């Protein structure tokens, strides 16, 4: 997290509800970095993860990832003292259980 903070992509602050945790907030510069990096990242993930899989295997991977997200990240999870919460974009990335969004699979 420190390198992201040093680049001005995130800020950290104590969780007002529980001082044992730290909240990480994406800055405007961080959001720009995510938006700039996303197309290349999606293409690389497609190349390395999805292209080698059949349609059935892709569907099964979607089911498995959706299940992991439901149990691991909902409603909130803590990792290394940083509170992580499922947000609407994660649901948009994973799609409904059993389905990968078509944007991951389209060439």
């Amino acid at each position: 997290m420190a390198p992201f903070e040093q680049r001005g992509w995130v800020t950290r602050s104590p969780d007002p509800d529980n001082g044992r945790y730290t909240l990480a907030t994406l800055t405007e510069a961080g959001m720009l970095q995510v938006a700039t990096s996303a197309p290349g990242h999606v293409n690389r993930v497609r190349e390395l993860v999805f292209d080698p899989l059949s349609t059935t295997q892709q569907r099964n991977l979607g089911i498995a990832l959706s299940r992991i997200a439901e149990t691991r990240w909902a409603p909130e999870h803590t990792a290394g003292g940083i509170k992580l919460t499922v947000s609407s974009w994660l649901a948009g990335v994973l799609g409904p259980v059993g389905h990968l969004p078509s944007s991951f699979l389209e060439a």
Side-chain angles (χ1 to χ4, degrees), residues 15-70:
D15 182 341
D17 297 327
N18 187 338
R20 296 177 297 166
Y21 299 113
T22 300
L23 300 176
T25 304
L26 195 61
T27 64
E28 194 171 319
M31 189 57 169
L32 179 60
Q33 181 63 32
V34 169
T36 302
S37 302
H41 177 74
V42 168
N43 288 336
R44 189 70 171 144
V45 168
R46 183 185 306 117
E47 176 186 312
L48 295 174
V49 177
F50 296 105
D51 288 352
L53 301 177
S54 70
T55 301
T56 300
Q57 290 169 326
Q58 291 173 2
R59 189 174 305 111
N60 289 336
L61 178 61
I63 293 167
L65 291 175
S66 294
R67 181 65 183 136
I68 291 167
E70 288 173 2

